[in-house]
PDB file of all heavy atoms in Angstrom:
ATOM      1  N   TRP T 568       8.011  -4.869  47.168  1.00  0.00           N
ATOM      2  CA  TRP T 568       6.866  -4.340  47.903  1.00  0.00           C
ATOM      3  C   TRP T 568       6.537  -2.909  47.483  1.00  0.00           C
ATOM      4  O   TRP T 568       5.362  -2.542  47.358  1.00  0.00           O
ATOM      5  CB  TRP T 568       7.135  -4.399  49.414  1.00  0.00           C
ATOM      6  CG  TRP T 568       6.741  -5.710  50.018  1.00  0.00           C
ATOM      7  CD1 TRP T 568       7.568  -6.713  50.440  1.00  0.00           C
ATOM      8  CD2 TRP T 568       5.408  -6.177  50.251  1.00  0.00           C
ATOM      9  NE1 TRP T 568       6.841  -7.782  50.918  1.00  0.00           N
ATOM     10  CE2 TRP T 568       5.499  -7.480  50.819  1.00  0.00           C
ATOM     11  CE3 TRP T 568       4.140  -5.640  50.041  1.00  0.00           C
ATOM     12  CZ2 TRP T 568       4.381  -8.220  51.179  1.00  0.00           C
ATOM     13  CZ3 TRP T 568       3.023  -6.386  50.399  1.00  0.00           C
ATOM     14  CH2 TRP T 568       3.156  -7.660  50.956  1.00  0.00           C
ATOM     15  N   LEU T 569       7.569  -2.106  47.258  1.00  0.00           N
ATOM     16  CA  LEU T 569       7.340  -0.739  46.801  1.00  0.00           C
ATOM     17  C   LEU T 569       6.662  -0.729  45.434  1.00  0.00           C
ATOM     18  O   LEU T 569       5.749   0.069  45.191  1.00  0.00           O
ATOM     19  CB  LEU T 569       8.668   0.025  46.736  1.00  0.00           C
ATOM     20  CG  LEU T 569       9.295   0.428  48.077  1.00  0.00           C
ATOM     21  CD1 LEU T 569      10.687   1.000  47.855  1.00  0.00           C
ATOM     22  CD2 LEU T 569       8.418   1.432  48.814  1.00  0.00           C
ATOM     23  N   GLU T 570       7.101  -1.595  44.542  1.00  0.00           N
ATOM     24  CA  GLU T 570       6.487  -1.693  43.216  1.00  0.00           C
ATOM     25  C   GLU T 570       5.027  -2.114  43.330  1.00  0.00           C
ATOM     26  O   GLU T 570       4.167  -1.606  42.604  1.00  0.00           O
ATOM     27  CB  GLU T 570       7.264  -2.701  42.358  1.00  0.00           C
ATOM     28  CG  GLU T 570       8.614  -2.211  41.873  1.00  0.00           C
ATOM     29  CD  GLU T 570       8.490  -1.183  40.767  1.00  0.00           C
ATOM     30  OE1 GLU T 570       7.598  -1.322  39.917  1.00  0.00           O
ATOM     31  OE2 GLU T 570       9.286  -0.213  40.774  1.00  0.00           O
ATOM     32  N   PHE T 571       4.754  -3.041  44.245  1.00  0.00           N
ATOM     33  CA  PHE T 571       3.391  -3.552  44.411  1.00  0.00           C
ATOM     34  C   PHE T 571       2.467  -2.504  45.024  1.00  0.00           C
ATOM     35  O   PHE T 571       1.380  -2.225  44.507  1.00  0.00           O
ATOM     36  CB  PHE T 571       3.419  -4.805  45.289  1.00  0.00           C
ATOM     37  CG  PHE T 571       2.054  -5.328  45.641  1.00  0.00           C
ATOM     38  CD1 PHE T 571       1.246  -5.920  44.680  1.00  0.00           C
ATOM     39  CD2 PHE T 571       1.566  -5.217  46.929  1.00  0.00           C
ATOM     40  CE1 PHE T 571      -0.014  -6.401  45.002  1.00  0.00           C
ATOM     41  CE2 PHE T 571       0.305  -5.687  47.267  1.00  0.00           C
ATOM     42  CZ  PHE T 571      -0.485  -6.277  46.293  1.00  0.00           C
ATOM     43  N   ILE T 572       2.905  -1.882  46.122  1.00  0.00           N
ATOM     44  CA  ILE T 572       2.056  -0.908  46.815  1.00  0.00           C
ATOM     45  C   ILE T 572       1.864   0.349  45.982  1.00  0.00           C
ATOM     46  O   ILE T 572       0.798   0.967  45.999  1.00  0.00           O
ATOM     47  CB  ILE T 572       2.684  -0.544  48.185  1.00  0.00           C
ATOM     48  CG1 ILE T 572       2.670  -1.779  49.095  1.00  0.00           C
ATOM     49  CG2 ILE T 572       1.927   0.605  48.849  1.00  0.00           C
ATOM     50  CD1 ILE T 572       3.406  -1.574  50.407  1.00  0.00           C
ATOM     51  N   GLY T 573       2.895   0.736  45.218  1.00  0.00           N
ATOM     52  CA  GLY T 573       2.808   1.954  44.436  1.00  0.00           C
ATOM     53  C   GLY T 573       2.195   1.796  43.066  1.00  0.00           C
ATOM     54  O   GLY T 573       2.049   2.785  42.334  1.00  0.00           O
ATOM     55  N   HIS T 574       1.801   0.576  42.689  1.00  0.00           N
ATOM     56  CA  HIS T 574       1.109   0.391  41.409  1.00  0.00           C
ATOM     57  C   HIS T 574      -0.262   1.057  41.495  1.00  0.00           C
ATOM     58  O   HIS T 574      -0.924   0.998  42.536  1.00  0.00           O
ATOM     59  CB  HIS T 574       0.961  -1.094  41.096  1.00  0.00           C
ATOM     60  CG  HIS T 574       0.528  -1.370  39.694  1.00  0.00           C
ATOM     61  ND1 HIS T 574      -0.782  -1.231  39.276  1.00  0.00           N
ATOM     62  CD2 HIS T 574       1.218  -1.757  38.598  1.00  0.00           C
ATOM     63  CE1 HIS T 574      -0.876  -1.526  37.994  1.00  0.00           C
ATOM     64  NE2 HIS T 574       0.332  -1.848  37.556  1.00  0.00           N
ATOM     65  N   PRO T 575      -0.705   1.717  40.419  1.00  0.00           N
ATOM     66  CA  PRO T 575      -2.013   2.403  40.474  1.00  0.00           C
ATOM     67  C   PRO T 575      -3.165   1.507  40.921  1.00  0.00           C
ATOM     68  O   PRO T 575      -4.076   1.975  41.619  1.00  0.00           O
ATOM     69  CB  PRO T 575      -2.206   2.880  39.027  1.00  0.00           C
ATOM     70  CG  PRO T 575      -0.812   3.082  38.522  1.00  0.00           C
ATOM     71  CD  PRO T 575       0.007   2.000  39.162  1.00  0.00           C
ATOM     72  N   PHE T 576      -3.160   0.228  40.539  1.00  0.00           N
ATOM     73  CA  PHE T 576      -4.230  -0.677  40.979  1.00  0.00           C
ATOM     74  C   PHE T 576      -4.295  -0.716  42.504  1.00  0.00           C
ATOM     75  O   PHE T 576      -5.351  -0.516  43.107  1.00  0.00           O
ATOM     76  CB  PHE T 576      -3.982  -2.099  40.455  1.00  0.00           C
ATOM     77  CG  PHE T 576      -4.165  -2.270  38.977  1.00  0.00           C
ATOM     78  CD1 PHE T 576      -3.876  -3.481  38.376  1.00  0.00           C
ATOM     79  CD2 PHE T 576      -4.612  -1.230  38.179  1.00  0.00           C
ATOM     80  CE1 PHE T 576      -4.039  -3.653  37.008  1.00  0.00           C
ATOM     81  CE2 PHE T 576      -4.775  -1.388  36.817  1.00  0.00           C
ATOM     82  CZ  PHE T 576      -4.487  -2.613  36.232  1.00  0.00           C
ATOM     83  N   THR T 577      -3.150  -0.997  43.111  1.00  0.00           N
ATOM     84  CA  THR T 577      -3.099  -1.139  44.563  1.00  0.00           C
ATOM     85  C   THR T 577      -3.353   0.190  45.257  1.00  0.00           C
ATOM     86  O   THR T 577      -4.087   0.261  46.257  1.00  0.00           O
ATOM     87  CB  THR T 577      -1.724  -1.681  44.988  1.00  0.00           C
ATOM     88  OG1 THR T 577      -1.370  -2.790  44.174  1.00  0.00           O
ATOM     89  CG2 THR T 577      -1.735  -2.100  46.440  1.00  0.00           C
ATOM     90  N   ALA T 578      -2.758   1.267  44.733  1.00  0.00           N
ATOM     91  CA  ALA T 578      -2.872   2.575  45.380  1.00  0.00           C
ATOM     92  C   ALA T 578      -4.320   3.054  45.429  1.00  0.00           C
ATOM     93  O   ALA T 578      -4.802   3.512  46.475  1.00  0.00           O
ATOM     94  CB  ALA T 578      -1.995   3.589  44.641  1.00  0.00           C
ATOM     95  N   ILE T 579      -5.026   2.950  44.309  1.00  0.00           N
ATOM     96  CA  ILE T 579      -6.407   3.439  44.281  1.00  0.00           C
ATOM     97  C   ILE T 579      -7.332   2.502  45.056  1.00  0.00           C
ATOM     98  O   ILE T 579      -8.290   2.948  45.704  1.00  0.00           O
ATOM     99  CB  ILE T 579      -6.890   3.616  42.834  1.00  0.00           C
ATOM    100  CG1 ILE T 579      -5.992   4.618  42.106  1.00  0.00           C
ATOM    101  CG2 ILE T 579      -8.331   4.109  42.794  1.00  0.00           C
ATOM    102  CD1 ILE T 579      -6.358   4.835  40.657  1.00  0.00           C
ATOM    103  N   LEU T 580      -7.060   1.193  45.027  1.00  0.00           N
ATOM    104  CA  LEU T 580      -7.861   0.251  45.815  1.00  0.00           C
ATOM    105  C   LEU T 580      -7.734   0.549  47.302  1.00  0.00           C
ATOM    106  O   LEU T 580      -8.736   0.596  48.030  1.00  0.00           O
ATOM    107  CB  LEU T 580      -7.414  -1.187  45.520  1.00  0.00           C
ATOM    108  CG  LEU T 580      -8.089  -2.278  46.369  1.00  0.00           C
ATOM    109  CD1 LEU T 580      -9.597  -2.276  46.153  1.00  0.00           C
ATOM    110  CD2 LEU T 580      -7.496  -3.648  46.042  1.00  0.00           C
ATOM    111  N   LEU T 581      -6.500   0.764  47.774  1.00  0.00           N
ATOM    112  CA  LEU T 581      -6.298   1.100  49.186  1.00  0.00           C
ATOM    113  C   LEU T 581      -6.985   2.417  49.547  1.00  0.00           C
ATOM    114  O   LEU T 581      -7.595   2.551  50.619  1.00  0.00           O
ATOM    115  CB  LEU T 581      -4.800   1.173  49.492  1.00  0.00           C
ATOM    116  CG  LEU T 581      -4.036  -0.154  49.471  1.00  0.00           C
ATOM    117  CD1 LEU T 581      -2.545   0.091  49.670  1.00  0.00           C
ATOM    118  CD2 LEU T 581      -4.570  -1.101  50.547  1.00  0.00           C
ATOM    119  N   ALA T 582      -6.892   3.402  48.654  1.00  0.00           N
ATOM    120  CA  ALA T 582      -7.542   4.689  48.898  1.00  0.00           C
ATOM    121  C   ALA T 582      -9.050   4.529  48.989  1.00  0.00           C
ATOM    122  O   ALA T 582      -9.714   5.155  49.834  1.00  0.00           O
ATOM    123  CB  ALA T 582      -7.177   5.671  47.789  1.00  0.00           C
ATOM    124  N   CYS T 583      -9.597   3.693  48.126  1.00  0.00           N
ATOM    125  CA  CYS T 583     -11.045   3.442  48.131  1.00  0.00           C
ATOM    126  C   CYS T 583     -11.466   2.781  49.445  1.00  0.00           C
ATOM    127  O   CYS T 583     -12.472   3.162  50.053  1.00  0.00           O
ATOM    128  CB  CYS T 583     -11.390   2.545  46.939  1.00  0.00           C
ATOM    129  SG  CYS T 583     -13.138   2.533  46.512  1.00  0.00           S
ATOM    130  N   LEU T 584     -10.685   1.812  49.919  1.00  0.00           N
ATOM    131  CA  LEU T 584     -10.997   1.127  51.179  1.00  0.00           C
ATOM    132  C   LEU T 584     -10.893   2.075  52.367  1.00  0.00           C
ATOM    133  O   LEU T 584     -11.732   2.048  53.274  1.00  0.00           O
ATOM    134  CB  LEU T 584     -10.054  -0.065  51.364  1.00  0.00           C
ATOM    135  CG  LEU T 584     -10.236  -1.226  50.375  1.00  0.00           C
ATOM    136  CD1 LEU T 584      -9.161  -2.280  50.588  1.00  0.00           C
ATOM    137  CD2 LEU T 584     -11.621  -1.849  50.514  1.00  0.00           C
ATOM    138  N   VAL T 585      -9.874   2.945  52.362  1.00  0.00           N
ATOM    139  CA  VAL T 585      -9.720   3.920  53.441  1.00  0.00           C
ATOM    140  C   VAL T 585     -10.910   4.890  53.454  1.00  0.00           C
ATOM    141  O   VAL T 585     -11.435   5.238  54.516  1.00  0.00           O
ATOM    142  CB  VAL T 585      -8.397   4.697  53.292  1.00  0.00           C
ATOM    143  CG1 VAL T 585      -8.347   5.870  54.265  1.00  0.00           C
ATOM    144  CG2 VAL T 585      -7.216   3.771  53.530  1.00  0.00           C
ATOM    145  N   ALA T 586     -11.356   5.318  52.267  1.00  0.00           N
ATOM    146  CA  ALA T 586     -12.489   6.240  52.191  1.00  0.00           C
ATOM    147  C   ALA T 586     -13.768   5.590  52.709  1.00  0.00           C
ATOM    148  O   ALA T 586     -14.572   6.233  53.396  1.00  0.00           O
ATOM    149  CB  ALA T 586     -12.679   6.709  50.746  1.00  0.00           C
ATOM    150  N   ILE T 587     -13.945   4.302  52.410  1.00  0.00           N
ATOM    151  CA  ILE T 587     -15.169   3.601  52.838  1.00  0.00           C
ATOM    152  C   ILE T 587     -15.137   3.313  54.330  1.00  0.00           C
ATOM    153  O   ILE T 587     -16.062   3.672  55.081  1.00  0.00           O
ATOM    154  CB  ILE T 587     -15.353   2.303  52.037  1.00  0.00           C
ATOM    155  CG1 ILE T 587     -15.646   2.624  50.563  1.00  0.00           C
ATOM    156  CG2 ILE T 587     -16.477   1.463  52.634  1.00  0.00           C
ATOM    157  CD1 ILE T 587     -15.678   1.401  49.657  1.00  0.00           C
TER     158      ILE T 587
END
Side-chain angles (χ1 to χ4, degrees):
W568 273 106
L569 287 172
E570 287 286 322
F571 174 70
I572 294 173
H574 192 282
F576 290 175
T577 313
I579 300 178
L580 175 60
L581 290 175
C583 197
L584 292 175
V585 170
I587 293 173

